[in-house]
Amino acid sequence: MKLSNIKKRLNNYSLKTKIMALIFCIIIFTTAASYISIQIISVSNNRLLYKALTGSLSYSAQDISTKLSNIEAMSSAIISNKDIRKNLITLTDETNSIRLRNAESSLDYLLFDYYQTNRVNSVNYINLYNPNYVTYSYEAQSRFTPDTILQDIIAKSNQQEGYPYWITDYCNDYGLFLGRDCRRVNKMRYETLGTLVVKVDLKKLIATSTRSVLLSPSVQYILYDDNGIIFHSDELTEDYANDINGKLTEEYDVLDCGGKEYFCIRGTFTNMNWKYICMIPYSNIAYALNLSRALSLLVILAIAVISLVFSNLI
C-alpha cells in the first residue's frame, strides 16, 4: 500500500478516532517506558545492594576463616606441647598408679586452659583420647555428642598422619569437628599417643561473625564445598539449600525459596575450600518495586480514562 493511500485513509477517519488512536499509542509507549524504567531501577538497585553487602560479607567470611585457622593453630600447639606429650607418654608406657593419676590431672588442667583461651573462637569443647584415658575440657558438653560420632571422628583422624582434618558430616546436627593425632616415633615406626577432637559451634560462629554486619534475624546461610552442602540455617531444609545452590548461577540473584523471595549472594572463604550463600529477605524491596509498578499502572489508567472522557466531549 502506497504512502499516499495510507494518508488518504487516515484523513477519512474522524477527529475523535484520530485522537483515540493517538491516546492509545501514547498509553502503549508510556506503559512500555514505565516497565523498562522499573526494570532498570530494579537491576541497578540489586547491583547497588550487592556492592553494599559484598564488602561486609567478605569481612564476615574472613573473620570465620581466621577463627578456624586459629583453631588449627591451637591443635598444633596442643599436640606439640611438651608437657602434654610427656603426660600422654606416661599414660601409654607407665604402670605406676600415682604417676598415672598425676598425668591425668595435669592433662585435665592443660586442656582446660586451652579451652578457656579459645572459647572466643566458638570452641564448644576439646577432648583428648588416649587408649588408657580420655581428657575432657567440658565433659557435660561432650556428652551431647553420641559416642558413635566421636568414634567416627577418631577413626577418620587416624588416617590423616597427624595432619588436622575437618569433619563436616555433622554440622547441622552436632557441629563442626576438627580431629588430629598426636604421634611419636617408637621403634622406627609412628605410634599414636592420643587423638585430639575439637568441636566448633558452627551456628554460634556464623552468628557472632555476622551479627555486627547483618542485623536481620531472617538472614539465612548455606555453606558448601565440592562434595555438597556442609551447613544450612535451621529455617532451611536440605532440599531448599540444594535448590538455591543449583539456581544461583551468578554472584547474586533474587530467588524464590518456599514462597519467599531472597536476595542471594555467593562468596568464598579465603583459607578454606568452602563457599557460602547468604540469603537476605527481599520482601521489602520487592514490595517497593511492586508498589511502583502498581502506581505507574494506575497513573496510566487514569490518563486513559481522562482522555476518553475528553474525547467524548469533542
Side-chain angles (χ1 to χ4, degrees), residues 285-305:
I285 299 173
Y287 174 78
L289 291 173
N290 290 333
L291 183 61
S292 297
R293 292 189 182 99
L295 289 174
S296 298
L297 182 60
L298 286 174
V299 170
I300 292 169
L301 288 174
I303 292 171
V305 170

Side-chain angles (χ1 to χ4, degrees), residues 61-62 64-69 71-72 165-171 175-178 200-202 205-206 222-231 245 266-277:
Q62 179 62 48
I64 292 172
S65 296
T66 300
K67 289 179 178 178
L68 294 177
S69 296
I71 294 170
E72 283 193 13
Y165 183 66
W166 290 102
I167 294 93
T168 60
D169 301 343
Y170 313 105
C171 286
L176 175 65
F177 293 90
L178 174 68
V200 181
D201 190 338
L202 191 56
L205 176 60
I206 292 173
I222 302 172
L223 270 59
Y224 66 98
D225 59 12
D226 294 336
N227 298 319
I229 301 297
I230 295 173
F231 168 85
N245 188 28
R266 191 191 299 274
T268 59
F269 292 96
T270 53
N271 300 329
M272 311 287 292
N273 189 28
W274 298 352
K275 295 182 180 180
Y276 68 85
I277 297 174

Side-chain angles (χ1 to χ4, degrees), residues 11 14 37-38 52 57 62 104 117 132 146 154 169 178 190 192 194 202 239 243-244 262 268 275 284-285 305 312:
N11 290 333
S14 65
S37 298
I38 291 173
L57 290 173
Q62 179 62 48
E104 292 169 359
T117 304
N132 300 317
I154 292 170
D169 301 343
L178 174 68
Y190 282 108
T192 299
L202 191 56
D239 290 339
D243 186 49
I244 291 294
Y262 289 91
T268 59
K275 295 182 180 180
N284 291 336
I285 299 173
V305 170
N312 288 327

Side-chain angles (χ1 to χ4, degrees), residues 123-286:
V123 171
N124 196 246
Y125 62 77
I126 307 171
N127 294 348
L128 184 56
Y129 293 86
N130 176 272
N132 300 317
Y133 183 71
V134 180
T135 307
Y136 299 97
S137 68
Y138 194 168
E139 186 173 1
Q141 282 291 338
S142 178
R143 296 301 180 192
F144 287 109
T145 307
D147 287 338
T148 53
I149 291 178
L150 291 172
Q151 292 305 315
D152 179 55
I153 294 168
I154 292 170
K156 289 177 178 177
S157 302
N158 293 156
Q159 301 172 9
Q160 305 306 314
E161 300 181 345
Y163 291 100
Y165 183 66
W166 290 102
I167 294 93
T168 60
D169 301 343
Y170 313 105
C171 286
N172 266 94
D173 296 324
Y174 298 103
L176 175 65
F177 293 90
L178 174 68
R180 189 169 194 175
D181 279 353
C182 178
R183 306 195 300 173
R184 70 171 176 177
V185 177
N186 185 26
K187 297 179 181 179
M188 302 298 293
R189 57 191 295 268
Y190 282 108
E191 178 187 2
T192 299
L193 296 172
T195 301
L196 184 72
V197 174
V198 182
K199 179 193 171 182
V200 181
D201 190 338
L202 191 56
K203 294 179 183 177
K204 179 182 177 182
L205 176 60
I206 292 173
T208 54
S209 296
T210 58
R211 184 166 49 200
S212 60
V213 178
L214 298 172
L215 302 177
S216 174
S218 301
V219 175
Q220 313 296 331
Y221 293 91
I222 302 172
L223 270 59
Y224 66 98
D225 59 12
D226 294 336
N227 298 319
I229 301 297
I230 295 173
F231 168 85
H232 56 81
S233 298
D234 290 337
E235 291 77 5
L236 299 173
T237 64
E238 189 81 12
D239 290 339
Y240 279 147
N242 283 309
D243 186 49
I244 291 294
N245 188 28
K247 287 181 178 178
L248 188 59
T249 57
E250 305 292 339
E251 292 179 334
Y252 65 94
D253 202 353
V254 179
L255 300 175
D256 180 82
C257 179
K260 297 179 180 179
E261 284 190 316
Y262 289 91
F263 186 77
C264 303
I265 301 176
R266 191 191 299 274
T268 59
F269 292 96
T270 53
N271 300 329
M272 311 287 292
N273 189 28
W274 298 352
K275 295 182 180 180
Y276 68 85
I277 297 174
C278 179
M279 301 171 58
I280 302 164
Y282 198 71
S283 56
N284 291 336
I285 299 173

Side-chain angles (χ1 to χ4, degrees), residues 41-94:
I41 291 170
S42 177
V43 171
S44 300
N45 183 73
N46 290 346
R47 184 65 182 172
L48 290 172
L49 183 60
Y50 169 73
K51 288 184 176 180
L53 292 173
T54 188
S56 299
L57 290 173
S58 296
Y59 171 82
S60 298
Q62 179 62 48
D63 186 58
I64 292 172
S65 296
T66 300
K67 289 179 178 178
L68 294 177
S69 296
N70 290 342
I71 294 170
E72 283 193 13
M74 176 200 70
S75 72
S76 297
I78 290 175
I79 66 172
S80 61
N81 184 293
K82 61 183 181 62
D83 292 325
I84 289 178
R85 293 182 63 85
K86 181 180 71 173
N87 286 307
L88 286 173
I89 292 171
T90 298
L91 291 176
T92 303
D93 298 339
E94 189 61 65

